[in-house]
Amino acid sequence: QFALVFQPQISVKEGRIVAAEALLRWRHPNGEIKLPGTFIKRAEETGMIVEIGDWVVATIADTIARWGRIGIEQRLAINISARQLDHADFFRRLREAMKDADAPASLLELEITETLAMHCSEEVIEALSQFRDDGATISIDDFGTGYSNLARLRDLPVDRVKLDRSLIEHIATRSQARAIVHAVIGLIHGLGCEAVAEGIETEAQSEVLRIIGCDVIQGY
């Protein structure tokens, strides 16, 4: 009953889709389409998140390969939970899924939350680094919702930092919000990373982000 939907990420400078984030949906037997907030916490509590994660990884690998066969070389991003990273075989199974589907790692992006990035073990950081060496992209998700140790952030194997939609919501109407996002984008660029803004819903938000130097926008 699970399905993936894909939300595009658009280059601000070029105006073209450069990647997409895979988002999980539950097609409930009652006909409703349920969002992750209604079932992910329970899946993590029961441990089922590992099995669900394996299904997502396999589906993404197959999608990357299938799209590639028809000439679409599009990077796809998936969210990785703390429970998945705690599972010793996660990265091995991830590599196997990509290999079995004949999907290149260069078209896969792994997203971990800001909070998880601040607390993950050295073993996980090393595993992320190795996967990055294989060609994958590593992103920090929900940036601005947790507490970041900037020295640690600097040392993480990260390519992109995604600004949480709570930071973006009022940038077109409030000068304070614009100032904060402008400063955060400068910080992200200073770390050598690409800045991605989530939750873009209006042309006005898009234009403000273009002016203050955001690289990529993602939204409805």
Side-chain angles (χ1 to χ4, degrees):
Q1 296 168 8
F2 286 122
L4 294 179
V5 297
F6 301 98
Q7 193 171 81
Q9 299 175 352
I10 299 170
S11 167
V12 175
K13 289 183 178 179
E14 301 176 19
R16 66 181 182 88
I17 296 174
V18 294
E21 180 180 355
L23 302 171
L24 188 61
R25 298 291 183 264
W26 179 15
R27 292 173 175 162
H28 196 278
N30 67 10
E32 293 182 30
I33 302 296
K34 292 187 176 291
L35 301 178
T38 65
F39 60 84
I40 288 295
K41 184 177 180 181
R42 180 59 59 87
E44 289 180 332
E45 290 171 349
T46 61
M48 192 177 289
I49 190 66
V50 175
E51 186 178 353
I52 293 172
D54 285 346
W55 177 84
V56 170
V57 166
T59 304
I60 285 292
D62 288 342
T63 301
I64 289 173
R66 178 165 48 84
W67 287 7
R69 287 193 292 271
I70 60 175
I72 302 173
E73 291 194 351
Q74 179 67 70
R75 189 172 73 245
L76 294 179
I78 56 173
N79 294 281
I80 307 300
S81 74
R83 193 68 179 264
Q84 287 174 286
L85 290 180
D86 283 342
H87 206 278
D89 288 340
F90 172 73
F91 286 100
R92 179 185 60 79
R93 298 199 312 275
L94 177 57
R95 279 193 174 87
E96 287 179 354
M98 296 293 286
K99 182 178 180 181
D100 290 346
D102 196 24
S106 60
L107 295 181
L108 180 67
E109 181 172 338
L110 303 180
E111 295 188 8
I112 60 174
T113 65
E114 176 186 18
T115 301
L116 179 55
M118 292 301 106
H119 297 98
C120 60
S121 67
E122 291 301 318
E123 289 78 9
V124 168
I125 292 174
E126 178 60 26
L128 287 170
S129 294
Q130 291 176 1
F131 214 80
R132 189 176 182 231
D133 290 342
D134 291 345
T137 299
I138 309 297
S139 296
I140 301 293
D141 196 17
D142 299 337
F143 189 80
T145 60
Y147 171 77
S148 287
N149 179 320
L150 297 182
R152 180 175 174 83
L153 188 61
R154 179 194 60 204
D155 295 333
L156 289 173
V158 174
D159 303 287
R160 311 172 93 204
V161 177
K162 301 182 71 177
L163 284 74
D164 188 76
R165 61 180 302 158
S166 62
L167 291 176
I168 302 299
E169 186 176 3
H170 300 294
I171 58 170
T173 56
R174 298 181 186 176
S175 59
Q176 297 95 330
R178 286 194 295 274
I180 290 171
V181 172
H182 195 181
V184 171
I185 289 174
L187 170 65
I188 293 169
H189 287 163
L191 293 169
C193 296
E194 189 175 52
V196 182
E198 296 184 286
I200 310 307
E201 299 183 7
T202 69
E203 290 284 352
Q205 289 172 324
S206 176
E207 180 62 13
V208 169
L209 288 164
R210 182 190 67 79
I211 291 171
I212 63 179
C214 189
D215 301 297
V216 174
I217 56 176
Q218 174 181 337
Y220 298 155

